[in-house]
């Protein structure tokens, strides 16, 4: 893969994170139910990719990159309790 492709992929990742930041109304469970991934998944993928490159990044640091603030703060400000329907759909998708 060329350096140019890597730059484009990095720009796409930054745009995705910006988009998710602008759409705090979209809950992680919504993302999981519709797309099979969420902000937490992105954080874990970021951390795993860093580890593949020999970098040790704490999960909380990766979450802060994705959430734009400490995870606990984001949860307190923006996360709503999942509805029974959302939880049921999440469980159905896990099978």
């Amino acid at each position: 893969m060329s350096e140019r492709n890597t730059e484009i992929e990095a720009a796409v990742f930054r745009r995705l994170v910006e988009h998710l930041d602008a759409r705090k109304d979209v809950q992680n469970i919504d993302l999981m139910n519709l797309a099979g991934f969420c902000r937490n998944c992105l954080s874990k993928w970021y951390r795993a990719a860093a580890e593949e490159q020999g970098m040790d990044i704490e999960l909380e640091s990766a979450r802060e990159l994705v959430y734009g603030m400490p995870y606990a703060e984001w949860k307190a400000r923006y996360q709503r309790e999942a509805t029974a329907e959302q939880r049921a759909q999440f469980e159905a998708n896990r099978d």
Side-chain angles (χ1 to χ4, degrees), residues 60 63 67 69-79:
E60 289 307 312
R63 281 181 169 167
Y67 284 91
M69 64 186 68
Y71 178 58
E73 182 179 340
W74 193 94
K75 281 179 59 176
R77 285 186 182 189
Y78 304 108
Q79 186 168 306

Side-chain angles (χ1 to χ4, degrees), residues 27-42:
Q27 298 291 295
N28 282 334
I29 197 162
D30 297 324
L31 290 168
M32 287 298 295
N33 287 342
L34 293 172
F37 79 98
C38 68
R39 293 170 182 89
N40 286 323
C41 296
L42 287 175

Side-chain angles (χ1 to χ4, degrees), residues 49-69:
E51 287 179 350
E52 288 175 8
Q53 297 296 317
M55 298 174 63
D56 184 29
I57 296 181
E58 296 293 323
L59 180 57
E60 289 307 312
S61 296
R63 281 181 169 167
E64 192 164 338
L65 288 169
V66 170
Y67 284 91
M69 64 186 68

Side-chain angles (χ1 to χ4, degrees), residues 1-14:
M1 181 166 295
S2 74
E3 184 177 323
R4 186 74 173 145
N5 286 356
T6 301
E7 291 172 7
I8 293 167
E9 290 170 353
V12 170
F13 175 78
R14 288 189 299 271

